[in-house]
Coordinates of all heavy atoms in Angstrom, one line a residue:
M27 N 34.0 -36.8 -97.5 CA 35.3 -36.8 -97.8 C 35.8 -35.4 -98.1 O 35.2 -34.6 -98.8 CB 35.6 -37.8 -99.0 CG 37.0 -38.0 -99.3 SD 37.4 -39.8 -99.1 CE 38.7 -39.8 -98.2
S28 N 37.1 -35.2 -97.8 CA 37.6 -33.9 -98.0 C 38.1 -33.7 -99.4 O 38.6 -34.7 -100.0 CB 38.9 -33.7 -97.0 OG 39.5 -32.5 -97.1
T29 N 38.1 -32.5 -99.9 CA 38.7 -32.2 -101.2 C 40.0 -31.7 -101.2 O 40.6 -31.5 -102.3 CB 37.7 -31.2 -101.9 OG1 37.8 -30.1 -101.1 CG2 36.2 -31.6 -102.0
I30 N 40.8 -31.7 -100.1 CA 42.1 -31.2 -100.0 C 43.0 -32.5 -100.2 O 42.8 -33.5 -99.6 CB 42.4 -30.7 -98.7 CG1 41.6 -29.5 -98.4 CG2 43.9 -30.3 -98.7 CD1 41.6 -28.9 -97.0
P31 N 43.9 -32.6 -101.2 CA 44.8 -33.6 -101.6 C 45.8 -34.0 -100.5 O 46.2 -33.1 -99.8 CB 45.4 -33.3 -102.8 CG 45.1 -31.8 -103.1 CD 44.1 -31.3 -102.1
L32 N 46.1 -35.2 -100.2 CA 46.9 -35.7 -99.3 C 48.3 -35.0 -99.4 O 48.9 -34.7 -98.3 CB 47.0 -37.3 -99.5 CG 47.9 -37.9 -98.3 CD1 47.5 -37.8 -97.0 CD2 48.3 -39.3 -98.7
P33 N 48.9 -34.8 -100.5 CA 50.2 -34.0 -100.5 C 50.2 -32.7 -99.8 O 51.2 -32.3 -99.3 CB 50.6 -33.9 -102.0 CG 49.8 -35.1 -102.7 CD 48.6 -35.2 -101.8
L34 N 49.1 -32.0 -99.8 CA 49.0 -30.6 -99.2 C 49.0 -30.9 -97.8 O 49.6 -30.2 -97.0 CB 47.7 -30.0 -99.6 CG 47.8 -29.4 -101.0 CD1 46.5 -28.7 -101.2 CD2 48.9 -28.4 -101.1
Y35 N 48.3 -32.0 -97.2 CA 48.5 -32.4 -95.8 C 49.9 -32.7 -95.3 O 50.3 -32.2 -94.2 CB 47.4 -33.4 -95.4 CG 46.1 -33.1 -95.2 CD1 45.1 -33.6 -96.1 CD2 45.5 -32.3 -94.4 CE1 43.7 -33.5 -96.0 CE2 44.2 -32.0 -94.2 CZ 43.4 -32.6 -95.1 OH 42.0 -32.2 -95.0
V36 N 50.5 -33.5 -96.1 CA 51.9 -33.8 -95.8 C 52.7 -32.6 -95.7 O 53.6 -32.5 -94.8 CB 52.4 -34.9 -96.8 CG1 53.8 -35.1 -96.6 CG2 51.6 -36.1 -96.7
A37 N 52.7 -31.8 -96.8 CA 53.5 -30.5 -96.9 C 53.2 -29.6 -95.6 O 54.2 -29.1 -95.0 CB 53.2 -29.8 -98.1
F38 N 51.9 -29.4 -95.4 CA 51.6 -28.5 -94.1 C 52.2 -29.1 -92.9 O 52.8 -28.4 -92.0 CB 50.1 -28.6 -94.0 CG 49.5 -27.8 -92.8 CD1 49.5 -26.5 -92.8 CD2 49.1 -28.6 -91.7 CE1 49.1 -25.7 -91.6 CE2 48.7 -27.9 -90.4 CZ 48.7 -26.5 -90.4
F39 N 52.1 -30.4 -92.6 CA 52.7 -31.0 -91.4 C 54.2 -31.0 -91.5 O 54.8 -30.7 -90.3 CB 52.2 -32.4 -91.1 CG 50.6 -32.3 -90.5 CD1 49.6 -32.7 -91.3 CD2 50.5 -31.7 -89.4 CE1 48.4 -32.7 -90.9 CE2 49.0 -31.6 -88.9 CZ 48.1 -32.2 -89.6
F40 N 54.7 -31.2 -92.6 CA 56.3 -31.1 -92.7 C 56.7 -29.7 -92.4 O 57.6 -29.6 -91.6 CB 56.5 -31.5 -94.2 CG 58.1 -31.3 -94.4 CD1 59.1 -32.2 -93.9 CD2 58.5 -30.1 -95.1 CE1 60.3 -32.0 -94.1 CE2 59.9 -30.0 -95.4 CZ 60.7 -31.0 -94.9
F41 N 56.0 -28.6 -92.8 CA 56.6 -27.2 -92.6 C 56.3 -26.9 -91.2 O 56.9 -26.1 -90.6 CB 56.0 -26.3 -93.5 CG 56.6 -26.3 -94.9 CD1 55.9 -26.8 -96.0 CD2 58.0 -26.2 -95.1 CE1 56.4 -26.9 -97.3 CE2 58.5 -26.2 -96.4 CZ 57.9 -26.6 -97.4
L42 N 55.1 -27.3 -90.7 CA 54.8 -27.0 -89.3 C 55.7 -27.7 -88.3 O 56.2 -27.0 -87.3 CB 53.2 -27.5 -89.0 CG 52.8 -27.1 -87.6 CD1 52.5 -25.7 -87.5 CD2 51.4 -27.9 -87.5
G43 N 56.0 -28.9 -88.6 CA 57.1 -29.6 -87.8 C 58.4 -29.0 -87.8 O 59.2 -28.8 -86.8
G44 N 58.9 -28.6 -89.0 CA 60.1 -27.8 -89.2 C 60.1 -26.4 -88.4 O 61.1 -26.1 -87.9
A45 N 59.0 -25.8 -88.6 CA 58.9 -24.4 -87.8 C 59.1 -24.7 -86.3 O 59.7 -24.0 -85.5 CB 57.8 -23.8 -88.0
L46 N 58.5 -25.8 -85.8 CA 58.4 -26.1 -84.4 C 59.9 -26.4 -83.9 O 60.5 -26.0 -82.9 CB 57.6 -27.3 -84.0 CG 57.7 -27.7 -82.6 CD1 57.1 -26.7 -81.7 CD2 56.8 -29.0 -82.4
I47 N 60.6 -27.3 -84.7 CA 62.0 -27.7 -84.4 C 62.9 -26.4 -84.5 O 63.8 -26.2 -83.6 CB 62.4 -28.7 -85.4 CG1 61.8 -30.1 -85.1 CG2 64.1 -28.8 -85.4 CD1 62.0 -31.1 -86.1
L48 N 62.7 -25.5 -85.4 CA 63.6 -24.3 -85.5 C 63.2 -23.4 -84.3 O 64.2 -22.8 -83.8 CB 63.3 -23.5 -86.8 CG 64.0 -24.2 -88.1 CD1 63.5 -23.5 -89.3 CD2 65.6 -24.3 -87.8
N49 N 62.1 -23.4 -83.8 CA 61.8 -22.5 -82.7 C 62.3 -23.1 -81.5 O 63.0 -22.3 -80.7 CB 60.2 -22.5 -82.6 CG 59.8 -21.4 -81.5 OD1 60.3 -21.4 -80.5 ND2 58.6 -20.8 -81.9
L50 N 62.3 -24.3 -81.2 CA 62.9 -25.0 -80.2 C 64.5 -24.7 -80.1 O 65.1 -24.4 -79.1 CB 62.6 -26.4 -80.1 CG 61.2 -26.8 -79.6 CD1 61.1 -28.3 -79.9 CD2 60.9 -26.4 -78.3
H51 N 65.1 -24.8 -81.4 CA 66.6 -24.6 -81.4 C 66.8 -23.2 -81.1 O 67.9 -22.9 -80.3 CB 67.0 -25.0 -82.8 CG 68.5 -24.8 -83.0 ND1 69.4 -25.4 -82.5 CD2 69.1 -23.8 -83.8 CE1 70.7 -25.0 -82.9 NE2 70.5 -24.0 -83.6
H52 N 66.0 -22.3 -81.6 CA 66.3 -20.9 -81.4 C 66.2 -20.5 -79.8 O 67.1 -19.7 -79.3 CB 65.3 -20.0 -82.2 CG 65.5 -18.5 -82.1 ND1 66.6 -17.8 -82.5 CD2 64.7 -17.6 -81.5 CE1 66.4 -16.5 -82.3 NE2 65.4 -16.3 -81.6
R53 N 65.2 -21.1 -79.3 CA 65.2 -20.8 -77.7 C 66.3 -21.4 -77.0 O 66.8 -20.8 -76.0 CB 63.8 -21.4 -77.2 CG 62.5 -20.5 -77.6 CD 61.4 -20.9 -76.6 NE 60.6 -22.0 -77.4 CZ 59.8 -22.7 -76.7 NH1 59.6 -22.5 -75.5 NH2 59.1 -23.7 -77.3
Y54 N 66.9 -22.6 -77.4 CA 67.9 -23.1 -76.7 C 69.2 -22.3 -77.0 O 70.0 -22.2 -76.0 CB 68.1 -24.6 -77.2 CG 69.3 -25.4 -76.7 CD1 69.1 -25.8 -75.3 CD2 70.5 -25.7 -77.2 CE1 70.1 -26.5 -74.7 CE2 71.5 -26.3 -76.7 CZ 71.3 -26.8 -75.4 OH 72.3 -27.5 -74.9
Q55 N 69.4 -21.7 -78.1 CA 70.5 -20.9 -78.4 C 70.4 -19.6 -77.6 O 71.5 -19.1 -77.1 CB 70.6 -20.6 -80.0 CG 70.9 -21.6 -80.8 CD 72.5 -21.8 -80.8 OE1 73.2 -20.9 -80.9 NE2 73.0 -23.0 -80.8
N56 N 69.2 -19.1 -77.5 CA 69.1 -17.8 -76.6 C 69.3 -18.2 -75.1 O 69.9 -17.3 -74.4 CB 67.7 -17.3 -76.8 CG 67.5 -16.5 -78.1 OD1 68.6 -16.2 -78.8 ND2 66.3 -16.4 -78.6
K57 N 69.1 -19.3 -74.7 CA 69.2 -19.7 -73.4 C 70.9 -19.9 -73.2 O 71.3 -19.4 -72.1 CB 68.6 -21.1 -73.1 CG 68.7 -21.5 -71.6 CD 68.1 -22.8 -71.4 CE 68.3 -23.4 -70.0 NZ 67.5 -24.6 -69.7
Q58 N 71.5 -20.4 -74.1 CA 73.0 -20.4 -74.1 C 73.7 -19.1 -74.1 O 74.6 -18.8 -73.2 CB 73.6 -21.4 -75.2 CG 73.2 -22.8 -74.9 CD 73.8 -23.5 -76.1 OE1 74.1 -23.1 -77.2 NE2 74.2 -24.8 -75.8
R59 N 73.1 -18.2 -75.0 CA 73.7 -16.8 -75.0 C 73.4 -16.0 -73.8 O 74.2 -15.1 -73.4 CB 73.1 -16.1 -76.2 CG 73.6 -16.6 -77.5 CD 73.0 -15.7 -78.6 NE 73.7 -16.1 -80.0 CZ 73.0 -17.0 -80.8 NH1 72.0 -17.5 -80.5 NH2 73.8 -17.3 -81.9
A60 N 72.5 -16.4 -72.9 CA 72.1 -15.6 -71.8 C 72.9 -16.1 -70.5 O 72.8 -15.5 -69.5 CB 70.6 -15.7 -71.5
L61 N 73.7 -17.1 -70.7 CA 74.5 -17.5 -69.5 C 75.5 -16.5 -69.2 O 76.1 -15.9 -69.9 CB 75.3 -18.8 -69.9 CG 74.5 -20.2 -70.0 CD1 75.3 -21.2 -70.7 CD2 73.8 -20.6 -68.8
P62 N 75.8 -16.6 -67.7 CA 76.8 -15.6 -67.2 C 78.3 -15.8 -67.7 O 78.4 -16.9 -68.1 CB 76.6 -15.6 -65.8 CG 76.2 -17.1 -65.6 CD 75.3 -17.3 -66.7
A63 N 79.0 -15.0 -67.7 CA 80.4 -15.1 -68.0 C 81.1 -15.8 -66.7 O 80.5 -16.0 -65.7 CB 81.1 -13.7 -68.0
R64 N 82.2 -16.5 -67.0 CA 82.8 -17.3 -66.0 C 83.0 -16.6 -64.6 O 82.7 -17.1 -63.6 CB 84.2 -17.8 -66.4 CG 84.9 -18.7 -65.4 CD 86.2 -19.1 -66.2 NE 86.9 -20.2 -65.5 CZ 88.0 -19.9 -64.5 NH1 88.2 -18.5 -64.2 NH2 88.5 -20.7 -63.8
D65 N 83.5 -15.3 -64.6 CA 83.8 -14.5 -63.5 C 82.5 -14.2 -62.7 O 82.5 -14.5 -61.5 CB 84.6 -13.4 -63.8 CG 86.0 -13.7 -64.2 OD1 86.5 -14.8 -64.0 OD2 86.5 -12.8 -64.9
Q66 N 81.5 -13.9 -63.4 CA 80.2 -13.7 -62.8 C 79.6 -14.9 -62.2 O 79.1 -14.9 -61.1 CB 79.3 -13.0 -63.8 CG 78.0 -12.7 -63.3 CD 78.2 -11.5 -62.3 OE1 78.8 -10.7 -62.5 NE2 77.4 -11.6 -61.2
Y67 N 79.7 -16.0 -62.9 CA 79.3 -17.3 -62.3 C 79.9 -17.6 -61.1 O 79.2 -18.0 -59.9 CB 79.4 -18.4 -63.3 CG 79.1 -19.9 -62.9 CD1 77.7 -20.2 -62.8 CD2 80.1 -20.7 -62.4 CE1 77.4 -21.5 -62.3 CE2 79.8 -21.9 -62.0 CZ 78.3 -22.3 -61.9 OH 78.2 -23.5 -61.4
L68 N 81.2 -17.5 -61.0 CA 81.9 -17.9 -59.8 C 81.6 -16.9 -58.6 O 81.5 -17.4 -57.5 CB 83.5 -17.8 -60.1 CG 84.1 -18.8 -61.0 CD1 85.5 -18.6 -61.3 CD2 83.8 -20.3 -60.5
A69 N 81.5 -15.7 -59.0 CA 81.1 -14.7 -57.9 C 79.6 -14.9 -57.4 O 79.3 -14.8 -56.2 CB 81.1 -13.3 -58.5
D70 N 78.7 -15.3 -58.3 CA 77.3 -15.5 -58.0 C 77.3 -16.7 -57.0 O 76.2 -16.7 -56.2 CB 76.5 -15.8 -59.2 CG 76.1 -14.5 -59.9 OD1 76.6 -13.4 -59.4 OD2 75.8 -14.5 -61.1
H71 N 78.0 -17.8 -57.2 CA 77.9 -19.0 -56.4 C 79.0 -19.2 -55.4 O 79.0 -20.2 -54.9 CB 77.8 -20.2 -57.4 CG 76.6 -20.2 -58.3 ND1 75.4 -20.4 -57.9 CD2 76.5 -19.8 -59.7 CE1 74.6 -20.3 -58.9 NE2 75.2 -19.8 -60.0
N72 N 79.8 -18.0 -55.1 CA 80.9 -18.1 -54.2 C 81.7 -19.3 -54.3 O 82.1 -20.1 -53.4 CB 80.3 -18.0 -52.8 CG 79.5 -16.8 -52.5 OD1 79.8 -15.8 -52.9 ND2 78.4 -17.0 -51.9
L73 N 82.3 -19.5 -55.6 CA 83.2 -20.6 -55.9 C 84.5 -20.0 -56.1 O 84.6 -19.0 -56.8 CB 82.7 -21.3 -57.1 CG 81.3 -22.1 -56.9 CD1 80.8 -22.6 -58.3 CD2 81.3 -23.2 -55.9
A74 N 85.6 -20.8 -55.7 CA 86.9 -20.4 -56.1 C 87.4 -21.0 -57.5 O 88.1 -20.4 -58.3 CB 87.9 -20.8 -55.1
A75 N 86.8 -22.2 -57.8 CA 87.1 -22.9 -59.0 C 85.8 -23.3 -59.7 O 85.0 -23.6 -59.0 CB 88.1 -24.0 -58.8
P76 N 85.9 -23.4 -61.1 CA 84.6 -23.7 -61.7 C 84.0 -25.1 -61.2 O 84.9 -26.1 -61.2 CB 85.0 -23.8 -63.2 CG 86.0 -22.9 -63.2 CD 86.8 -23.0 -61.9
A77 N 82.8 -25.3 -60.8 CA 82.1 -26.5 -60.4 C 80.7 -26.3 -60.6 O 80.2 -25.1 -60.6 CB 82.5 -26.8 -59.0
C78 N 80.0 -27.3 -60.7 CA 78.5 -27.3 -60.8 C 77.8 -26.9 -59.6 O 78.2 -27.4 -58.5 CB 77.9 -28.7 -61.3 SG 76.2 -28.7 -61.4
H79 N 77.0 -25.8 -59.7 CA 76.3 -25.4 -58.4 C 75.1 -26.3 -58.1 O 74.7 -26.3 -57.0 CB 75.7 -23.9 -58.6 CG 74.7 -23.7 -59.8 ND1 75.0 -23.7 -61.1 CD2 73.5 -23.9 -59.7 CE1 73.9 -23.6 -61.8 NE2 72.8 -23.8 -60.9
A80 N 74.7 -27.1 -59.1 CA 73.5 -27.9 -58.8 C 74.0 -29.3 -58.1 O 73.3 -29.6 -57.1 CB 72.8 -28.3 -60.1
C81 N 75.0 -29.9 -58.6 CA 75.4 -31.2 -57.9 C 76.7 -31.1 -57.3 O 77.1 -32.1 -56.7 CB 75.3 -32.3 -59.0 SG 76.5 -32.2 -60.4
G82 N 77.6 -30.1 -57.5 CA 78.9 -30.0 -56.9 C 79.9 -30.6 -57.6 O 81.1 -30.7 -57.3
S83 N 79.6 -31.2 -58.8 CA 80.8 -31.9 -59.6 C 81.7 -31.0 -60.2 O 81.3 -29.8 -60.7 CB 80.0 -32.7 -60.7 OG 81.0 -33.3 -61.5
A84 N 82.9 -31.3 -60.3 CA 83.9 -30.5 -60.9 C 84.2 -30.9 -62.5 O 85.0 -30.3 -63.2 CB 85.2 -30.5 -60.2
R85 N 83.4 -32.0 -62.9 CA 83.6 -32.5 -64.2 C 82.7 -31.7 -65.1 O 81.5 -31.7 -65.1 CB 83.3 -33.9 -64.3 CG 84.1 -34.9 -63.5 CD 83.5 -36.3 -63.5 NE 82.4 -36.6 -64.2 CZ 82.4 -37.5 -65.3 NH1 83.4 -38.2 -65.4 NH2 81.3 -37.7 -65.8
L86 N 83.5 -30.8 -65.9 CA 82.7 -29.9 -66.8 C 83.0 -30.3 -68.3 O 84.1 -30.7 -68.6 CB 83.2 -28.4 -66.6 CG 83.0 -27.9 -65.2 CD1 83.5 -26.5 -65.0 CD2 81.6 -28.1 -64.7
A87 N 82.1 -30.0 -69.1 CA 82.2 -30.1 -70.6 C 82.2 -28.8 -71.2 O 81.5 -27.9 -70.7 CB 81.0 -30.9 -71.2
E88 N 83.0 -28.7 -72.3 CA 83.2 -27.4 -72.9 C 82.8 -27.6 -74.4 O 83.3 -28.6 -75.1 CB 84.6 -26.9 -72.8 CG 84.9 -25.7 -73.6 CD 86.3 -25.3 -73.7 OE1 87.1 -26.0 -73.0 OE2 86.8 -24.3 -74.4
R89 N 82.1 -26.7 -75.0 CA 81.7 -26.9 -76.6 C 81.5 -25.5 -77.1 O 81.1 -24.5 -76.2 CB 80.5 -27.8 -76.7 CG 79.2 -27.3 -76.2 CD 78.1 -28.3 -76.4 NE 76.8 -27.8 -76.0 CZ 76.4 -27.8 -74.8 NH1 77.3 -28.2 -73.8 NH2 75.3 -27.2 -74.4
G90 N 81.6 -25.3 -78.3 CA 81.3 -24.0 -78.9 C 79.8 -23.8 -79.0 O 79.0 -24.8 -79.0
L91 N 79.4 -22.5 -79.0 CA 78.1 -22.1 -79.0 C 77.4 -22.5 -80.4 O 76.3 -23.3 -80.3 CB 78.0 -20.5 -78.8 CG 76.5 -20.1 -79.0 CD1 75.7 -20.6 -77.9 CD2 76.5 -18.5 -79.0
T92 N 78.0 -22.3 -81.5 CA 77.3 -22.7 -82.8 C 78.1 -23.8 -83.5 O 77.5 -24.5 -84.3 CB 77.4 -21.5 -83.7 OG1 78.7 -20.9 -83.9 CG2 76.5 -20.3 -83.2
H93 N 79.5 -24.0 -83.2 CA 80.2 -25.0 -83.7 C 81.4 -25.2 -82.9 O 81.7 -24.5 -82.1 CB 80.7 -24.5 -85.3 CG 81.4 -23.5 -85.4 ND1 82.7 -23.3 -85.2 CD2 80.9 -22.3 -85.7 CE1 83.1 -22.1 -85.3 NE2 82.1 -21.3 -85.7
G94 N 82.1 -26.4 -83.2 CA 83.3 -26.8 -82.4 C 84.4 -25.9 -82.2 O 85.1 -25.7 -81.3
E95 N 84.7 -25.0 -83.2 CA 85.8 -24.0 -83.2 C 85.2 -22.6 -82.9 O 86.0 -21.6 -83.1 CB 86.4 -23.9 -84.6 CG 87.1 -25.2 -85.0 CD 88.2 -25.7 -84.0 OE1 88.9 -24.9 -83.5 OE2 88.1 -26.9 -83.7
D96 N 84.1 -22.4 -82.3 CA 83.5 -21.1 -82.0 C 84.2 -20.4 -80.8 O 84.7 -21.2 -80.0 CB 82.0 -21.2 -81.7 CG 81.4 -19.9 -81.5 OD1 81.9 -18.8 -81.8 OD2 80.1 -20.0 -81.4
E97 N 84.5 -19.1 -80.9 CA 85.3 -18.5 -79.8 C 84.4 -18.5 -78.5 O 85.0 -18.3 -77.4 CB 85.7 -17.1 -80.2 CG 84.6 -16.0 -80.4 CD 85.1 -14.8 -80.9 OE1 86.1 -14.8 -81.7 OE2 84.5 -13.9 -80.4
R98 N 83.1 -18.5 -78.6 CA 82.3 -18.5 -77.4 C 82.1 -19.8 -77.0 O 81.4 -20.6 -77.7 CB 81.0 -17.7 -77.8 CG 80.0 -17.6 -76.4 CD 78.8 -17.0 -76.6 NE 78.8 -15.5 -77.0 CZ 77.8 -14.9 -77.3 NH1 76.6 -15.3 -77.2 NH2 77.9 -13.6 -77.5
R99 N 82.6 -20.2 -75.8 CA 82.4 -21.5 -75.3 C 81.4 -21.6 -74.2 O 81.3 -20.8 -73.4 CB 83.9 -22.0 -74.6 CG 85.1 -21.8 -75.5 CD 85.0 -22.4 -77.0 NE 85.1 -23.8 -76.8 CZ 85.0 -24.6 -77.8 NH1 84.6 -24.2 -78.9 NH2 85.1 -25.9 -77.6
I100 N 80.7 -22.6 -74.2 CA 79.6 -23.0 -73.3 C 80.1 -24.1 -72.3 O 80.5 -25.1 -72.8 CB 78.3 -23.3 -73.9 CG1 77.9 -22.3 -74.9 CG2 77.2 -23.7 -72.9 CD1 77.6 -20.9 -74.4
F101 N 80.1 -23.9 -71.0 CA 80.4 -24.9 -70.0 C 79.2 -25.5 -69.4 O 78.5 -24.8 -69.0 CB 81.5 -24.4 -69.0 CG 82.7 -24.1 -69.6 CD1 83.0 -22.8 -70.3 CD2 83.8 -24.9 -69.4 CE1 84.3 -22.6 -70.8 CE2 85.1 -24.7 -69.9 CZ 85.3 -23.4 -70.5
S102 N 79.2 -26.8 -69.3 CA 78.0 -27.5 -68.7 C 78.7 -28.7 -67.9 O 79.7 -29.2 -68.0 CB 77.1 -28.0 -69.6 OG 77.7 -29.0 -70.6
C103 N 77.9 -29.1 -66.9 CA 78.2 -30.3 -66.0 C 78.1 -31.6 -66.7 O 77.1 -31.8 -67.4 CB 77.3 -30.2 -64.7 SG 77.6 -31.5 -63.6
L104 N 79.1 -32.4 -66.7 CA 79.0 -33.8 -67.2 C 78.1 -34.6 -66.5 O 77.4 -35.6 -67.0 CB 80.4 -34.3 -67.3 CG 81.4 -33.9 -68.4 CD1 82.8 -34.5 -68.3 CD2 80.7 -34.4 -69.8
D105 N 77.9 -34.5 -65.2 CA 77.1 -35.4 -64.5 C 75.6 -35.0 -64.6 O 74.8 -36.0 -64.8 CB 77.5 -35.4 -63.0 CG 79.0 -35.8 -62.8 OD1 79.3 -36.7 -63.7 OD2 79.7 -35.4 -62.0
C106 N 75.1 -33.7 -64.3 CA 73.8 -33.5 -64.3 C 73.3 -32.7 -65.5 O 72.1 -32.4 -65.8 CB 73.3 -32.8 -63.0 SG 74.0 -31.1 -63.0
K107 N 74.2 -32.3 -66.5 CA 73.9 -31.7 -67.8 C 73.5 -30.3 -67.5 O 72.9 -29.7 -68.5 CB 72.9 -32.5 -68.6 CG 73.2 -34.0 -68.8 CD 74.4 -34.1 -69.5 CE 74.7 -35.5 -69.8 NZ 75.9 -36.1 -69.4
E108 N 73.6 -29.7 -66.4 CA 73.2 -28.3 -66.2 C 74.2 -27.3 -66.9 O 75.4 -27.5 -66.9 CB 73.3 -27.9 -64.7 CG 73.0 -26.6 -64.3 CD 71.4 -26.4 -64.2 OE1 70.7 -27.3 -64.3 OE2 71.1 -25.2 -64.3
M109 N 73.7 -26.4 -67.7 CA 74.4 -25.5 -68.3 C 74.8 -24.3 -67.4 O 74.1 -23.8 -66.6 CB 73.7 -24.6 -69.5 CG 73.5 -25.6 -70.7 SD 72.9 -24.7 -72.1 CE 71.4 -24.1 -71.6
L110 N 76.1 -24.1 -67.2 CA 76.7 -23.2 -66.1 C 77.0 -21.8 -66.5 O 76.7 -20.9 -66.0 CB 78.0 -24.0 -65.5 CG 77.7 -25.4 -65.1 CD1 78.9 -26.0 -64.6 CD2 76.7 -25.4 -64.0
F111 N 78.0 -21.8 -67.4 CA 78.6 -20.3 -67.7 C 79.2 -20.4 -69.2 O 79.3 -21.5 -69.8 CB 79.6 -19.9 -66.8 CG 80.8 -20.7 -66.7 CD1 81.9 -20.5 -67.5 CD2 80.9 -21.7 -65.7 CE1 83.0 -21.2 -67.3 CE2 82.0 -22.5 -65.6 CZ 83.0 -22.3 -66.4
Q112 N 79.4 -19.2 -69.8 CA 80.1 -19.2 -71.0 C 81.3 -18.3 -70.9 O 81.6 -17.6 -69.9 CB 79.2 -18.4 -72.1 CG 78.9 -16.9 -71.7 CD 78.1 -16.4 -72.8 OE1 78.4 -16.4 -73.9 NE2 76.9 -15.6 -72.5
E113 N 82.3 -18.6 -71.8 CA 83.6 -17.8 -71.7 C 84.0 -17.6 -73.3 O 83.8 -18.4 -74.1 CB 84.6 -18.8 -71.0 CG 86.0 -18.1 -70.9 CD 86.8 -19.1 -69.9 OE1 87.2 -20.2 -70.3 OE2 87.2 -18.6 -68.8
R114 N 84.5 -16.6 -73.5 CA 85.1 -16.2 -74.7 C 86.6 -16.4 -74.9 O 87.4 -16.0 -74.1 CB 84.9 -14.7 -75.1 CG 83.4 -14.4 -75.5 CD 83.4 -13.2 -76.1 NE 82.0 -12.8 -76.5 CZ 81.5 -13.0 -77.7 NH1 82.3 -13.5 -78.6 NH2 80.3 -12.6 -78.0
R115 N 86.9 -17.3 -75.8 CA 88.3 -17.6 -76.1 C 88.9 -16.6 -77.0 O 88.1 -16.1 -78.0 CB 88.4 -19.0 -76.7 CG 89.7 -19.6 -76.9 CD 89.8 -21.1 -77.3 NE 88.8 -21.4 -78.2 CZ 88.5 -22.6 -78.7 NH1 89.2 -23.6 -78.3 NH2 87.6 -22.8 -79.6
A116 N 90.0 -16.2 -76.8 CA 90.7 -15.1 -77.8 C 90.6 -15.7 -79.3 O 91.0 -16.9 -79.5 CB 92.2 -14.9 -77.4
A117 N 90.3 -14.9 -80.1 CA 90.3 -15.2 -81.6 C 91.7 -15.7 -82.1 O 92.6 -14.9 -81.9 CB 89.6 -14.2 -82.5
G118 N 91.7 -16.7 -82.7 CA 93.0 -17.1 -83.4 C 93.9 -17.9 -82.6 O 95.1 -18.2 -82.8
V119 N 93.5 -18.2 -81.3 CA 94.4 -18.9 -80.4 C 94.2 -20.4 -80.6 O 93.0 -21.0 -80.6 CB 94.1 -18.6 -78.9 CG1 94.8 -19.6 -78.1 CG2 94.4 -17.2 -78.5
D120 N 95.1 -21.1 -80.9 CA 95.0 -22.6 -81.1 C 95.6 -23.2 -79.9 O 96.8 -23.0 -79.5 CB 95.9 -22.9 -82.3 CG 95.7 -24.5 -82.9 OD1 94.9 -25.0 -82.2 OD2 96.5 -24.9 -83.8
E121 N 94.7 -24.1 -79.4 CA 95.1 -24.9 -78.2 C 96.3 -25.8 -78.4 O 97.0 -26.1 -77.5 CB 93.9 -25.7 -77.6 CG 92.9 -24.7 -77.1 CD 91.6 -25.5 -76.6 OE1 91.7 -26.9 -76.7 OE2 90.7 -25.0 -76.3
D122 N 96.4 -26.5 -79.5 CA 97.5 -27.3 -79.7 C 99.0 -26.7 -79.8 O 100.0 -27.2 -79.5 CB 97.4 -28.0 -81.1 CG 96.0 -29.0 -81.0 OD1 95.7 -29.4 -79.9 OD2 95.5 -29.2 -82.2
S123 N 98.9 -25.4 -80.3 CA 100.3 -24.8 -80.5 C 100.7 -24.1 -79.1 O 101.8 -23.6 -79.0 CB 100.0 -23.6 -81.5 OG 99.2 -22.6 -81.2
A124 N 99.8 -24.0 -78.2 CA 100.3 -23.3 -76.9 C 101.1 -24.2 -76.1 O 101.2 -25.4 -76.1 CB 99.0 -22.9 -76.1

């Protein structure tokens, strides 16, 4: 029988799991930050209007990089979930007042 108490095992696996989740989240954030700008994406894929290069759908989802009101917007395809490009919204611009 092991002399290491059960709470130490639980704490070890809790922190190991937490580190793994944070690592996965950090890699996902870096993948989003590495997306090309809108103009570069359109030029790379010879598109006139934004559309998914993987499935051809024009249905795009827009969300903030870190939160809903973030100025850096990430665009992805609603159909195949492919991350496409990023765009910076001007700081202080409110869509409702425009």
Side-chain angles (χ1 to χ4, degrees):
M27 184 120 234
S28 177
T29 59
I30 300 174
L32 181 64
L34 286 179
Y35 282 118
V36 171
F38 174 74
F39 287 113
F40 174 77
F41 287 115
L42 185 65
L46 176 66
I47 290 171
L48 285 174
N49 187 324
L50 290 173
H51 177 69
H52 182 68
R53 283 198 272 166
Y54 185 71
Q55 287 281 314
N56 285 341
K57 185 178 176 182
Q58 289 180 331
R59 285 185 177 96
L61 288 172
R64 180 180 187 266
D65 295 335
Q66 183 65 39
Y67 173 79
L68 294 175
D70 288 347
H71 298 287
N72 297 321
L73 299 170
C78 180
H79 66 274
C81 69
S83 175
R85 295 175 6 123
L86 303 179
E88 173 189 356
R89 65 181 183 283
L91 178 65
T92 57
H93 55 82
E95 298 300 319
D96 195 355
E97 68 182 31
R98 186 182 288 183
R99 311 303 293 173
I100 304 297
F101 289 81
S102 59
C103 178
L104 279 173
D105 295 330
C106 69
K107 309 298 186 231
E108 179 78 20
M109 288 192 297
L110 304 175
F111 59 89
Q112 64 177 312
E113 189 173 59
R114 285 198 178 264
R115 187 168 43 181
V119 173
D120 188 10
E121 294 174 0
D122 294 335
S123 64

